[in-house]
């Protein structure tokens, strides 16, 4: 009979397993946090339902749900990739969580990968819920799913870069206030609830260059109008992603 070997085998778990474990912890933390849940699911669903059913805004013709659903999807991406991630990461940095996690076998790059995977997973949950609510309200999306997915990926990269840039350079309290303020401003001025044509002509070029406007406009062109991949929104989102992530790599402080 062969003797069993109970000697310890020290060593880190495989890198993919560590990333998945950390991503799972990040997802659970997001969904258990009341403020995060409010930003990621409750507010978008309430906005989509309320403004689709009640004639409170002028969307410039067409059915309200067809106009609103793509914008609410864009808002959901911003709420998770930018607002929620900026606030959570800012307080993790303040309390030394990032410093401790960065010193574990997971490594700092693995931690960033886990955070990215968690954001993507939550966005999938958001998309399923928002699309289901939209369909129940009579929304019938058109266009290419792949084109919409590419816009969401670029939007996620752009907003993640901006969120991490804020969280890695400002104090946690300033990040909390700033992220919420930016969320409210972009909700009102980013084409989510109101067409950009309602704004004065002089400010429209500035508003159209915002990442939320590019994501909203791109998703609306694809899902509401059945257009092919819109190149201008893609270029705007790609530019924001490249610039913000480059700045994060240079300025992010882990403690």
């Amino acid at each position: 009979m062969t003797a069993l070997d109970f000697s310890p085998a020290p060593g880190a778990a495989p890198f993919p397993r560590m990333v998945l474990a950390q991503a799972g912890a990040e997802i659970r933390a997001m969904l258990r946090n009341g403020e995060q849940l409010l930003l990621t699911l409750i507010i978008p669903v309430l906005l989509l339902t309320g403004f689709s059913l009640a004639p409170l805004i002028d969307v410039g013709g067409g059915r309200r749900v067809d106009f609103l659903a793509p914008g609410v999807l864009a808002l959901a991406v911003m709420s998770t990739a930018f607002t929620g991630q900026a606030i959570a990461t800012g307080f993790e940095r303040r309390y030394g969580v990032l410093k401790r996690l960065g010193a574990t076998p997971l490594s700092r790059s693995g931690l960033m990968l886990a955070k990215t995977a968690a954001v993507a997973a939550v966005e999938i949950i958001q998309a399923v819920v928002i699309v289901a609510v939209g369909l129940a309200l009579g929304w019938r999306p058109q266009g290419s799913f792949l084109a919409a997915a590419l816009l969401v990926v670029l939007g996620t990269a752009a907003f993640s870069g901006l969120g991490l840039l804020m969280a890695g350079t400002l104090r946690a309290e300033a990040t909390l206030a700033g992220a919420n303020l930016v969320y409210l401003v972009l909700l009102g001025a980013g084409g989510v609830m109101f067409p950009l044509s309602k704004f004065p002509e002089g400010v429209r070029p500035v508003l159209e260059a915002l990442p939320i406007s590019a994501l909203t406009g791109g998703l609306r062109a694809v899902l509401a109008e059945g257009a092919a991949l819109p190149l201008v929104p893609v270029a705007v989102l790609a530019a924001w992603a490249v610039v913000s992530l480059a700045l994060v790599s240079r300025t992010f402080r882990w403690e």
Side-chain angles (χ1 to χ4, degrees):
M1 179 179 296
T2 304
L4 297 178
D5 184 8
F6 292 102
S7 59
F15 182 74
R17 187 185 303 173
M18 291 190 292
V19 171
L20 287 176
Q22 182 62 32
E26 297 277 348
I27 294 169
R28 290 190 295 272
M30 287 185 190
L31 297 180
R32 288 173 181 170
N33 186 301
E35 182 183 357
Q36 290 273 52
L37 193 61
L38 180 68
L39 281 171
T40 57
L41 281 177
I42 297 176
I43 289 179
V45 169
L46 288 178
L47 289 173
L48 177 59
T49 304
F51 285 95
S52 294
L53 295 177
L56 301 176
I57 57 174
D58 178 10
V59 298
R63 299 192 308 162
R64 288 188 297 276
V65 68
D66 293 333
F67 175 86
L68 291 167
V72 171
L73 282 172
L75 178 69
V77 171
M78 181 178 71
S79 67
T80 300
F82 172 70
T83 312
Q85 186 169 215
I87 295 171
T89 305
F91 279 95
E92 286 175 351
R93 185 169 73 91
R94 173 184 175 179
Y95 294 129
V97 175
L98 291 183
K99 180 182 178 181
R100 291 179 176 86
L101 286 174
T104 67
L106 175 60
S107 78
R108 293 180 175 183
S109 62
L111 177 59
M112 289 292 108
L113 186 58
K115 283 184 172 293
T116 301
V119 167
V122 172
E123 286 180 350
I124 291 173
I125 297 173
Q126 290 174 295
V128 170
V129 172
I130 291 169
V131 169
V133 172
L135 292 176
L137 293 170
W139 182 40
R140 296 297 179 264
Q142 313 178 53
S144 168
F145 169 79
L146 291 177
L150 177 58
L151 287 165
V152 168
V153 169
L154 289 173
T156 300
F159 284 120
S160 291
L162 293 170
L164 293 174
L165 181 62
M166 181 177 288
T169 54
L170 301 179
R171 293 171 53 248
E173 293 82 2
T175 298
L176 173 62
N180 282 316
L181 177 61
V182 170
Y183 176 88
L184 292 175
V185 171
L186 295 185
L187 170 61
V192 176
M193 307 303 298
F194 310 98
L196 293 182
S197 59
K198 301 295 182 182
F199 291 89
E201 291 186 8
V203 301
R204 282 183 210 166
V206 176
L207 298 181
E208 290 170 355
L210 296 174
I212 185 63
S213 302
L215 182 56
T216 299
L219 289 176
R220 195 166 284 141
V222 172
L223 298 176
E225 302 169 10
L229 184 65
L231 297 182
V232 172
V234 166
V236 171
L237 291 172
W240 278 101
V242 169
V243 172
S244 62
L245 291 173
L247 290 173
V248 168
S249 68
R250 291 171 175 258
T251 63
F252 191 88
R253 299 196 303 268
W254 289 81
E255 54 185 277

